[in-house]
């Protein structure tokens, strides 16, 4: 338990740092070019396509690699385990190359689902941008296979830090080359950054002792087992990504591609990265406990991860919703962004933030079923999420315009997580009555925090602190500071376990 807590805090710190770096890169180019820049909108759209498409496939690969490799290793079949990684890497790479060729052929069809089809320059520029950025899938494939390998060996830190190279590549480009090469250069810099990502993982992979050897055995029992599992898992894990692809295409009709991308990088992508990091620590444990037929320990671990995520994500929802304008004002309201874009982005941020806890629960329930070697419930939930998102956005797009996208996303997440909860309850019964009590306590603490944040924000509007940038910083971070403090104190008084642990850690640090 002590090691688990230490791993979680380390991963959380790394995840926060990498996402801050990612958002700094986004802020630099979005404020330089402006949210209304046509080429930047196309860049945002084109970058999303390979990311979302392969994140689904890659997550499915990682989800399968971890239990199969871990089981072989636990049995002492180290050579078989190593060969399985060789096969997984070779076969998945071959699949990605086929997917890459197919995607290039289908680019005209893909663009026909966007508003770019109505403008020849935009259509051609988007086609070229996609051709440059689609190879990102090759590098992502290596990342996901190695991530599964490292996490199976209890190495979590470097997989959490893998996005550093892509962010740094963009930051360096914006500092030194942007004036000469514009958005086109940004596209190429992004590809270079993703190509460098495997360099983060390879040294530790080698240190553990892995050496790649070509193997392409489609008849391997482990590969056959993986092949049987992957379709259902792919449907389950692709729900968010396919929704993002659909929403990204839909945003082209409202001219909000860049705004949608910025907001997703404030809310969805960091939250999912955080959730994936936490569940990565618990997933091997859940698999072992279920295989050992220790249902009590399985439920306790499941309860522990749900309570942990609730403790952090319920107040995060309140904070993002209440400070949505402050966040966008500080991060994006520079140079060519525009006041109307600030309002739209802030409102989208607030609506997306309502999906946070449902995203987290869906991922936890998915891992619970995968640990039981069950894939059908997650596949069904994935279909529900995708269908709900399409139906809701179609019904609401005439009235809500661009806002139909975050509304549809949030409601579909809610439907999917509830579907999985009902299925899991039927399978293993009540997980723990402690979860409801803990979530209620977190909600009460978050409400008290919310009142504090709201009053503090209103009060600060009556004061000026000199420069414009200083005003923005104070109006965002002072409410956050007091809000976090009030939340932790309230949680401690309500005896929420996570707050008690954190306070004990702080006491020890102070004594030192």
């Amino acid at each position: 338990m002590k090691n688990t807590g230490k791993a979680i805090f380390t991963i959380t710190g790394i995840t926060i740092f990498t996402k801050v770096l990612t958002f700094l890169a986004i802020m630099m180019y979005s404020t330089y070019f402006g949210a209304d820049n046509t080429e930047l909108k196309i860049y945002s759209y084109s970058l999303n396509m390979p990311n979302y498409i392969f994140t689904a496939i890659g997550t499915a690969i990682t989800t399968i690699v971890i239990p199969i490799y871990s089981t072989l290793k636990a049995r002492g079949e180290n050579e078989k385990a190593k060969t399985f990684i060789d096969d997984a890497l070779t076969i998945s790479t071959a699949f990605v190359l086929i997917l890459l060729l197919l995607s290039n052929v289908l680019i005209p069809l893909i663009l026909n689902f966007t508003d770019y089809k109505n403008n020849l320059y935009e259509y051609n520029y988007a086609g070229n941008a996609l051709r440059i950025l689609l190879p990102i899938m090759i590098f992502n494939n290596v990342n996901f296979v190695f991530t599964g390998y490292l996490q199976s060996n209890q190495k979590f830190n470097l997989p959490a830090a893998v996005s550093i190279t892509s962010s740094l590549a963009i930051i360096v480009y914006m500092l030194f080359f942007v004036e000469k090469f514009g958005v086109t250069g940004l596209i190429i810099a992004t590809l270079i950054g993703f190509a460098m990502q495997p360099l983060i993982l390879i040294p530790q992979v080698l240190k553990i002792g892995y050496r790649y050897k070509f193997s392409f055995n489609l008849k391997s029992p482990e590969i056959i087992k993986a092949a049987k599992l992957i379709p259902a898992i792919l449907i389950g894990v692709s729900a968010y990504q396919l929704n993002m692809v659909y929403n990204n295409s839909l945003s082209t009709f409202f001219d909000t591609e860049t705004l949608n991308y910025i907001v997703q990088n404030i809310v969805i992508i960091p939250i999912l990265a955080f959730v994936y990091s936490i569940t990565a620590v618990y997933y091997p444990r859940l698999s072992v406990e279920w295989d050992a037929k220790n249902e009590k320990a399985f439920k306790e671990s499941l309860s522990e991860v749900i309570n942990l995520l609730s403790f952090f994500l319920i107040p995060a929802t309140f904070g993002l919703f209440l400070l949505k304008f402050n966040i966008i004002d500080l991060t994006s309201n520079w140079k060519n962004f525009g006041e109307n874009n600030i309002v739209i982005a802030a409102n989208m941020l607030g609506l997306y933030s309502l999906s946070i806890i449902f995203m987290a629960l869906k991922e936890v329930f998915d891992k619970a079923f995968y640990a039981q070697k069950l894939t059908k419930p997650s596949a069904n939930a994935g279909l529900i999420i995708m269908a709900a998102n399409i139906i809701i956005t179609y019904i609401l797009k005439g009235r809500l315009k661009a806002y139909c996208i975050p509304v549809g996303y949030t409601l579909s997440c809610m439907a999917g997580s509830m579907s999985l909860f009902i299925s899991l309850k039927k399978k293993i019964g009540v997980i723990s009555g402690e979860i409801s009590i803990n979530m209620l306590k977190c909600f009460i603490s978050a409400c008290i925090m919310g009142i504090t944040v709201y009053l503090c924000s209103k009060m600060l509007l009556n004061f000026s602190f000199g420069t414009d940038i200083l005003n923005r910083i104070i109006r965002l971070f002072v409410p956050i500071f007091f809000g976090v403090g009030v939340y932790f104190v309230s949680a401690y008084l309500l005896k929420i376990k996570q707050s008690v642990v954190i306070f004990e850690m702080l006491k020890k640090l102070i004594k030192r």
Side-chain angles (χ1 to χ4, degrees), residues 30-294:
S30 63
T31 56
Y32 180 88
F33 294 108
D36 294 322
N37 182 286
T38 299
E39 292 181 354
L40 186 66
K41 289 179 183 178
I42 293 172
Y43 165 79
S44 300
Y45 165 80
S46 302
L47 179 58
N48 278 337
M49 294 300 287
N51 273 349
Y52 294 152
I53 290 172
F54 199 79
T55 295
I57 299 171
T59 304
I61 290 171
T62 302
T63 302
I64 289 169
V65 165
I66 290 174
I68 294 178
Y69 175 83
S70 298
T71 300
L72 290 171
K73 192 177 176 184
R75 293 174 185 167
E77 300 179 55
N78 293 329
E79 192 58 34
K80 269 191 177 182
K82 187 262 179 190
T83 302
F84 170 66
I85 297 297
D86 290 335
D87 283 328
L89 188 56
T90 306
I91 294 169
S92 62
T93 300
F95 172 77
V96 170
L97 289 173
I98 294 170
L99 181 62
L100 182 59
L101 291 172
L102 182 63
S103 299
N104 274 276
V105 171
L106 294 176
I107 282 175
L109 178 62
I110 293 170
L111 293 178
N112 280 333
F113 287 96
T114 71
D115 194 45
Y116 301 138
K117 64 184 178 181
N118 298 316
N119 184 297
L120 183 60
Y121 174 76
E122 293 178 3
Y123 181 85
N124 289 333
Y125 195 86
N128 291 329
L130 282 171
R131 290 182 186 94
I132 294 171
L133 292 173
L134 281 171
I136 285 173
M137 293 189 291
I138 297 172
F139 310 112
N140 281 347
N141 175 63
V142 177
N143 288 342
F144 279 107
V145 174
F146 283 165
T147 291
Y149 175 76
L150 289 172
Q151 290 177 350
S152 298
N153 284 282
Q154 303 299 305
K155 304 295 182 182
F156 303 104
N157 294 346
L158 288 183
V162 77
S163 65
I164 287 176
T165 60
S166 52
S167 300
L168 288 177
I170 292 173
I171 291 170
V172 169
Y173 174 78
M174 292 303 300
L175 289 173
F176 300 106
F177 305 105
V178 66
E179 291 186 10
K180 186 174 182 180
F181 299 107
V183 174
T184 302
L186 177 62
I187 294 172
I188 296 170
T190 300
L191 177 63
I192 293 171
F194 275 91
M196 293 170 63
Q197 283 189 353
L199 298 178
I200 296 275
L201 302 179
I202 288 173
Q204 191 164 58
V205 168
L206 295 174
K207 186 177 180 181
I208 292 174
Y210 177 74
R211 299 294 184 273
Y212 172 74
K213 183 179 179 181
F214 180 83
S215 181
F216 195 87
N217 186 5
L218 293 172
K219 295 182 180 180
S220 161
E222 289 74 30
I223 291 298
I224 292 172
K225 183 178 180 181
K228 289 178 179 178
L229 291 172
I230 202 165
I233 290 178
L234 185 58
I235 293 173
V237 302
S238 66
Y240 293 136
Q241 281 72 33
L242 291 179
N243 273 350
M244 298 286 253
V245 171
Y246 169 79
N247 291 345
N248 196 39
S249 298
L250 186 61
S251 68
T252 66
F253 293 94
F254 304 116
D255 291 325
T256 56
E257 302 97 305
T258 301
L259 298 181
N260 200 46
Y261 184 67
I262 290 171
V263 172
Q264 288 171 358
N265 274 276
I266 295 175
V267 184
I268 296 174
I269 294 175
I271 293 298
L272 282 177
F274 173 71
V275 174
Y276 290 154
S277 298
I278 300 301
T279 54
V281 176
Y282 281 88
Y283 182 36
R285 186 203 295 185
L286 290 169
S287 299
V288 170
E289 288 167 348
W290 188 262
D291 287 340
K293 303 186 186 305
N294 192 344

Side-chain angles (χ1 to χ4, degrees), residues 243 246-247 384-395 408 412:
N243 273 350
Y246 169 79
N247 291 345
I384 289 171
I385 289 171
M386 287 185 280
N389 184 65
I390 292 171
I391 292 169
I392 292 168
T393 52
Y394 180 80
I395 292 172
S412 63

